[in-house]
Amino acid sequence: MDTRLLLTAASRCSITGAVGCRSYVGGCSLNKSTRSYATHETLGRSPVSSRKQVTVVNDDGRVNWKDLSVKEKAARTTQQTFNLGIILTGLIMTGGCAYFLYKEVFSIDSKTVQFNRAVDRIRSDSRVKEVLGSDHKIRAFGEPTWNRWARARPIASNTYKDSSDVEHFMMHFNVEGSLHRGVVNLHTVKGSGQAEWEYKYLTLDVKGQPRIYLENADVTPGKKHSSFKFLGMQWRK
């Protein structure tokens, strides 16, 4: 009888699949070894993920500031300071280039504007066309140089302010047409408070031809002209 009870209890434990089974039959106990089974919940668990330490080189800003260590916060601060410095340097350089471009090309005080205005006057004057040739074939350029490209030749100029606080601008360049070649001298002035430059003189000298005055504020034709040498060239007053 006891043997049947023991077999029945053991059979029930194996059928129900209990993890542990303890049965008391007649003061005796039946122990079944405990077994553990893997479930979907335990299989899905993974150890706490560890992120890569944030440094100056690899920081991409994805990790929140509050999650950074003291060392990582210092690295991010260093990186952002460096990036800000690069941005500010770029802005300063861009502003400097823009200012230089304005002063040298677009400003009324630039020699480029003075040169272009004088060339337009030369090409539009009928007396110049008779001496040099058609205005479409008249080209203007600076001093002779080893560079064969005319646009690359430097144009000599000088700017100064006299004792009366009047600014003076002087320029010297060459022109060449289908008939002859000549030299242009110009002198413009701008008084205190004035916005525009005014011509004091604008002349064209062609070898074998009388001087042509396109602008003449204080020089009378036929009068002997004084001259001086500056920047390796002869300037005529």
Side-chain angles (χ1 to χ4, degrees), residues 179-199:
L179 300 178
H180 294 94
R181 182 174 180 173
V183 177
V184 176
N185 287 279
L186 70 89
H187 184 178
T188 58
V189 295
K190 184 173 69 171
S192 178
Q194 288 183 328
E196 297 289 338
W197 291 87
E198 297 179 355
Y199 277 108

Side-chain angles (χ1 to χ4, degrees), residues 54-56 59 65 68-85:
V54 174
T55 64
V56 177
D59 185 17
W65 176 263
L68 297 176
S69 65
V70 176
K71 184 177 180 181
E72 291 174 329
K73 288 180 179 179
R76 176 168 291 181
T77 302
T78 302
Q79 184 198 64
Q80 292 180 350
T81 302
F82 178 76
N83 293 339
L84 179 61

Side-chain angles (χ1 to χ4, degrees), residues 12-136:
R12 288 180 180 178
C13 288
S14 61
I15 293 173
T16 56
V19 174
C21 181
R22 191 180 194 90
S23 176
Y24 294 90
V25 179
C28 298
S29 62
L30 175 65
N31 291 329
K32 187 176 181 66
S33 60
T34 302
R35 296 181 182 179
S36 60
Y37 298 91
T39 63
H40 291 288
E41 183 179 358
T42 57
L43 288 175
R45 292 177 183 176
S46 59
V48 179
S49 60
S50 59
R51 61 176 175 81
K52 190 176 182 180
Q53 184 178 8
V54 174
T55 64
V56 177
V57 178
N58 66 5
D59 185 17
D60 55 6
R62 295 182 180 180
V63 182
N64 293 330
W65 176 263
K66 64 180 181 179
D67 297 331
L68 297 176
S69 65
V70 176
K71 184 177 180 181
E72 291 174 329
K73 288 180 179 179
R76 176 168 291 181
T77 302
T78 302
Q79 184 198 64
Q80 292 180 350
T81 302
F82 178 76
N83 293 339
L84 179 61
I86 293 178
I87 294 173
L88 292 177
T89 302
L91 291 175
I92 293 173
M93 293 181 64
T94 301
C97 292
Y99 176 78
F100 177 81
L101 184 65
Y102 170 76
K103 291 293 292 182
E104 292 296 323
V105 178
F106 301 108
S107 173
I108 60 174
D109 295 330
S110 70
K111 67 179 182 180
T112 302
V113 172
Q114 296 268 21
F115 173 78
N116 291 334
R117 184 169 67 165
V119 172
D120 291 340
R121 290 292 306 276
I122 292 291
R123 289 174 174 171
S124 61
D125 191 278
S126 58
R127 297 168 297 171
V128 174
K129 295 178 185 178
E130 292 178 0
V131 176
L132 296 182
S134 174
D135 58 327
H136 298 292

Side-chain angles (χ1 to χ4, degrees), residues 123-193:
R123 289 174 174 171
S124 61
D125 191 278
S126 58
R127 297 168 297 171
V128 174
K129 295 178 185 178
E130 292 178 0
V131 176
L132 296 182
S134 174
D135 58 327
H136 298 292
K137 296 183 179 181
I138 296 176
R139 64 187 187 96
F141 52 93
E143 296 304 299
T145 180
W146 60 269
N147 194 324
R148 68 177 192 173
W149 298 102
R151 291 181 181 273
R153 298 178 184 179
I155 300 174
S157 63
N158 178 37
T159 304
Y160 68 94
K161 184 177 291 188
D162 61 21
S163 57
S164 301
D165 202 29
V166 177
E167 291 185 75
H168 296 258
F169 178 84
M170 305 176 72
M171 180 179 286
H172 168 99
F173 61 90
N174 299 279
V175 291
E176 184 177 6
S178 57
L179 300 178
H180 294 94
R181 182 174 180 173
V183 177
V184 176
N185 287 279
L186 70 89
H187 184 178
T188 58
V189 295
K190 184 173 69 171
S192 178

